Amino acid sequence: MDTRADAAKPLSSLPCHRPQDGTAAPFLPMSRAEMTALGWDACDIVLVTGDAYVDHPSFGMAIIGRLLEAQGFRVGIIAQPDWQSAEPFKALGKPALFFGVTGGNMDSMVNRYTADRRLRHDDAYTPGGEGGRRPDRCTIVYTQRCREAFKDVPIVLGGIEASLRRIAHFDYWSEKVRRSILADAKGDLLVYGNAERAIVEVANRLAAGEAPRDIDDVRGVALFRRVPETFTELHADDLDSADEGAARRPGDVVIRLPAYEQVEEDKEAYARASRVLHREANPGNARPLVQRHGDRDLWLNPPPIPLTSAEMDAVYDLPYARAPHPSYGDAKIPAWDMIKFSVTIMRGCFGGCTFCSITEHEGRIIQNRSEGSILREIEQIRDRTPGFTGVISDIGGPTANMYRMACKDPKIEAACRLPSCVFPDICPNLNTSHDELIRLYRKVREVEGVKKVMVASGVRYDLAVKSPEYIKELVSHHVGGYLKIAPEHTERGPLEKMMKPGIGTYDRFKEMFDAAVKQAGKKYYLIPYFIAAHPGTTDEDMMNLALWLKKNRYRADQVQTFLPSPMATATAMYHTGINPLRGVRHGGSDTVVTAKGLRQRRLHKAFLRYHDPENWPLLREALKQMGRADLIGGRPDQLVPAHQPPGTGKAAGTRRPVRGPGGAQRFTTKGVPLRTK
């Protein structure tokens, strides 16, 4: 297999499946009546999704559907079907080529449950925000129903749920290691990561008559297959070896991960598999991976080649209706309301934060849109989106300020195997210039009809401090009272396990931010985000963070407890107690302390909300056990009072709000599973 970064087939390189008449469907059809109106007797491809169908490039099924439509395929959408029987999956008839199945823009378990495994009663991707419109592990359930509906139709899995569960993985909600989702769903192919390039090739090859099992050479595709005799296997499953399958060999090479049965039983094997997977994530040098599941081999081709700016532009310039499907009527879809006035300018993240799934899904190489494409979308928002008042609610991506940043040397980039470009320090080979982003901001502000452009995506502050001009630009034009920032913690232990910079970098950014605010004559504030119970965090670490918060007069109204999302490096730490950022082998692995019990996780969260009287009994008890009863009392340097207000804490018959002492700055932190940086 050719694993070179220049081996990508351009999106436009394949001929259209069916001649185009120059018009696109107003919406991809969700009913037979819509198909009839388009003159279709059948769909080539039916996409099944756990989200409501919003025809907008922030929704994965809309991108894939419109892209396949542009390739000449007839594409229908089945959104949030009733999964109790196969009948709703027959709504558009039998697809000529394949079903494409996804859980939606979020993993369905992350979508349905909190970090404490409590069922959520709302769903931002559903009309009316109604919960319960998708099943647990909906990619598996939908695939089974598709198979029941038309047993001989190939099924291709995609989206973030499939992407992050592509190998054997720890599942937080069942507290066990599960097989690859491809095995449990019994699909034919799985496309992972940004799937545009892969899905176009898969669709064309299926249309040409190839069987799914023969489509084994497409980047970003996983399937069950035998290892060809021409390949040399490097055994990362040998945990007594320090090599970890990292040796470079000429010719065709595949790395054998520890088998599902091995990682299920042996936590060091699980940590080894996680480490090797993440080290084989650079499309410039990644090799295929294979993992045994029972009597079959799961084969993962190397990650997809990132889209060029021209290809990104083509994807975002597709004829989206930029609205929810008309069948939803006036029902509000919260996720749509949140993003309808925002613009994505880039994909990917080179931060490598261990708790985050962005890199595992989108990759660490930044994929950028051109200024022209971004400006055209803003004009479309202005001209076509009802309710636009002149305010662009966000211009960014996974992070606010990685636009046009890349390795200075493509050869170094193609050879690099490090998980982060900014930890433990910013790589000297990384171009951290904010000049093109500043220029983009200025051009966007000049668009007629645009009054204000907000930056709501998280700012990577360790990059921002390299550009005082960027901070000044941000404060002068793109902040509306508050700017969210994510130091995540103050203590070295958890920060190292997160791969985040030390709190001193945050302090430097705050100093520069406050100076720019003063110069601009504004009253703006930072909203710092923190995570409770992250692997590597001790009770003492959380106590010290709480003391830092009190000293700096911060009160968090909402906080996030670490949620072990599938395939993240921090999830491997949580499950195994081993640090896969370092070498993993029997008798030589680096251990990690982990807060697992519900009581300890709640304690860590309580430290972040040290000011809430409801938490004081728990904090007093913990501080006494830690030998820190000196922090109980009413002095400014003490954490919690010795006395409990009536009606609060364990003695409370009913909860009621208690107003704390004035003068402290209140802020809100709203944690999301795919964290910004």
Side-chain angles (χ1 to χ4, degrees):
M1 169 175 291
D2 191 344
T3 59
R4 296 173 302 172
D6 60 359
K9 295 180 180 179
L11 280 177
S12 59
S13 65
L14 294 171
C16 281
H17 173 68
R18 185 180 286 105
Q20 301 288 292
D21 60 7
T23 60
F27 284 86
L28 300 176
M30 290 180 64
S31 67
R32 290 284 192 136
E34 291 172 86
M35 290 170 58
T36 300
L38 293 169
W40 300 1
D41 56 355
C43 292
D44 297 314
I45 300 161
V46 172
L47 303 178
V48 183
T49 175
D51 293 341
Y53 170 34
V54 180
D55 199 54
H56 184 277
S58 290
F59 291 77
M61 277 297 94
I63 288 181
I64 296 301
R66 287 298 188 183
L67 179 63
L68 291 170
E69 178 192 50
Q71 289 288 317
F73 296 100
R74 292 176 175 174
V75 183
I77 298 273
I78 297 177
Q80 298 188 315
D82 181 351
W83 65 91
Q84 303 301 326
S85 76
E87 288 306 309
F89 296 79
K90 300 177 182 178
L92 302 183
K94 181 178 180 178
L97 296 179
F98 67 91
F99 278 110
V101 178
T102 177
N105 274 19
M106 292 175 63
D107 180 275
S108 61
M109 299 302 287
V110 175
N111 178 282
R112 283 177 52 77
Y113 296 92
T114 69
D116 291 333
R117 299 191 183 98
R118 293 177 177 172
L119 183 67
R120 301 182 194 272
H121 298 291
D122 58 353
D123 185 339
Y125 294 91
T126 298
E130 178 186 356
R133 290 287 297 274
R134 73 185 83 209
D136 289 356
R137 314 184 199 288
C138 66
T139 298
I140 295 174
V141 176
Y142 290 167
T143 301
Q144 292 170 346
R145 293 293 180 263
C146 288
R147 190 71 77 197
E148 292 173 22
F150 303 105
K151 65 179 181 180
D152 57 337
V153 174
I155 301 176
V156 181
L157 312 185
I160 196 163
E161 183 165 78
S163 188
L164 299 185
R165 296 175 182 266
R166 59 186 181 261
I167 66 168
H169 57 281
F170 174 72
D171 181 79
Y172 171 64
W173 298 270
S174 60
E175 276 289 335
K176 68 178 186 179
V177 176
R178 295 182 65 94
R179 301 187 299 172
S180 164
I181 197 172
L182 187 61
D184 283 346
K186 298 181 174 61
D188 295 286
L189 297 172
L190 183 153
V191 292
Y192 70 87
N194 292 316
E196 287 95 344
R197 211 184 295 283
I199 201 66
V200 167
E201 184 166 357
V202 167
N204 276 279
R205 289 174 64 170
L206 288 173
E210 290 191 52
R213 64 179 177 275
D214 296 327
I215 306 177
D216 57 12
D217 58 346
V218 178
R219 280 176 165 270
V221 166
L223 72 163
F224 283 98
R225 64 172 294 196
R226 294 179 179 176
V227 175
E229 294 181 358
T230 56
F231 274 74
T232 300
E233 287 192 31
L234 297 181
H235 284 269
D237 57 345
D238 179 7
L239 268 69
D240 290 320
S241 168
D243 178 66
E244 300 178 320
R248 311 304 294 187
R249 300 283 180 83
D252 292 329
V253 172
V254 61
I255 299 177
R256 181 166 290 280
L257 298 176
Y260 160 68
E261 292 79 7
Q262 188 179 1
V263 301
E264 183 184 31
E265 298 295 331
D266 185 338
K267 290 184 176 181
E268 281 184 307
Y270 186 99
R272 169 74 71 92
S274 175
R275 175 172 169 81
V276 173
L277 176 82
H278 286 85
R279 284 168 64 86
E280 296 295 328
N282 182 350
N285 59 39
R287 296 159 295 180
L289 304 175
V290 65
Q291 184 179 52
R292 195 75 169 168
H293 281 60
D295 59 355
R296 297 190 298 169
D297 276 333
L298 174 72
W299 179 281
L300 280 78
N301 282 324
I305 301 298
L307 299 181
T308 65
S309 288
E311 289 172 323
M312 282 277 283
D313 290 354
V315 167
Y316 282 86
D317 287 346
L318 290 167
Y320 304 99
R322 306 188 67 81
H325 190 273
S327 64
Y328 301 126
D330 294 330
K332 299 291 186 182
I333 301 175
W336 159 244
D337 289 339
M338 183 170 59
I339 60 89
K340 61 185 176 181
F341 302 132
S342 68
V343 181
T344 299
I345 63 175
M346 43 76 70
R347 291 180 183 172
C349 179
F350 49 70
C353 300
T354 62
F355 54 81
C356 178
S357 299
I358 293 170
T359 302
E360 284 90 337
H361 185 60
E362 294 191 3
R364 65 175 184 153
I365 297 175
I366 305 302
Q367 302 167 74
N368 309 280
R369 295 172 63 185
S370 71
E371 291 179 350
S373 175
I374 294 165
L375 295 173
R376 285 193 297 274
E377 182 170 3
I378 290 174
E379 291 170 350
Q380 288 186 337
I381 291 172
R382 177 196 64 193
D383 299 339
R384 297 175 54 191
T385 306
F388 182 65
T389 60
V391 179
I392 298 297
S393 60
D394 185 27
I395 182 167
T399 53
N401 58 321
M402 288 186 182
Y403 182 70
R404 295 289 177 192
M405 291 188 184
C407 188
K408 298 174 183 177
D409 187 334
K411 291 183 179 179
I412 293 176
E413 179 182 75
C416 184
R417 292 165 61 83
L418 297 176
S420 173
C421 299
V422 292
F423 183 86
D425 298 299
I426 295 175
C427 177
N429 295 312
L430 180 67
N431 170 26
T432 61
S433 172
H434 287 68
D435 291 351
E436 292 198 57
L437 182 57
I438 293 170
R439 184 175 68 183
L440 174 65
Y441 285 173
R442 291 171 178 171
K443 288 188 176 182
V444 167
R445 296 200 303 268
E446 294 172 358
V447 174
E448 184 178 356
V450 172
K451 301 175 183 177
K452 181 81 173 178
V453 180
M454 307 300 296
V455 172
S457 299
V459 172
R460 186 82 195 198
Y461 57 88
D462 50 350
L463 294 173
V465 295
K466 301 292 184 181
S467 176
E469 185 181 3
Y470 174 74
I471 296 175
K472 182 179 179 180
E473 190 83 8
L474 197 66
V475 167
S476 299
H477 302 285
H478 302 287
V479 177
Y482 298 93
L483 178 70
K484 62 184 181 182
I485 219 79
E488 308 296 6
H489 217 285
T490 58
E491 305 306 294
R492 182 180 180 88
L495 287 172
E496 286 187 347
K497 301 303 184 295
M498 297 174 183
M499 292 209 300
K500 291 284 289 185
I503 196 66
T505 307
Y506 168 81
D507 292 337
R508 287 196 295 277
F509 177 81
K510 185 178 187 304
E511 182 180 349
M512 295 170 72
F513 178 86
D514 289 345
V517 166
K518 183 176 181 180
Q519 183 178 358
K522 308 284 188 179
K523 289 187 177 181
Y524 293 158
Y525 304 95
L526 293 179
I527 302 178
Y529 282 43
F530 298 95
I531 296 179
H534 189 279
T537 307
T538 65
D539 296 351
E540 288 75 14
D541 289 330
M542 292 307 301
M543 178 190 71
N544 289 332
L545 172 54
L547 291 169
W548 184 92
L549 290 170
K550 185 171 186 181
K551 179 181 178 181
N552 288 278
R553 305 170 69 82
Y554 283 131
R555 292 184 171 187
D557 285 333
Q558 298 178 27
V559 300
Q560 174 167 308
T561 305
F562 170 69
L563 193 160
S565 58
M567 217 169 80
T569 298
T571 301
M573 296 181 191
Y574 173 89
H575 169 56
T576 66
I578 294 168
N579 181 7
L581 297 174
R582 302 181 182 230
V584 178
R585 61 185 181 277
H586 284 149
S589 302
D590 184 33
T591 58
V592 178
V593 296
T594 305
K596 280 192 172 183
L598 183 59
R599 184 187 180 282
Q600 191 180 20
R601 285 169 64 83
R602 286 178 174 170
L603 171 63
H604 284 204
K605 185 175 181 179
F607 271 119
L608 284 182
R609 288 183 50 77
Y610 68 92
H611 56 280
D612 186 347
E614 299 297 333
N615 292 324
W616 292 350
L618 177 60
L619 291 174
R620 287 192 205 99
E621 180 184 354
L623 289 170
K624 290 174 183 177
Q625 291 176 349
M626 295 163 64
R628 294 306 309 269
D630 59 299
L631 294 177
I632 301 171
R635 297 197 313 269
D637 62 331
Q638 293 175 308
L639 194 60
V640 294
H643 301 288
Q644 192 71 27
T648 65
K650 292 180 180 178
T654 57
R655 293 192 59 168
R656 66 183 186 184
V658 175
R659 190 179 303 277
Q665 178 185 337
R666 303 189 69 84
F667 63 91
T668 299
T669 57
K670 298 178 180 178
V672 292
L674 295 182
R675 288 296 303 273
T676 52
K677 306 301 185 294

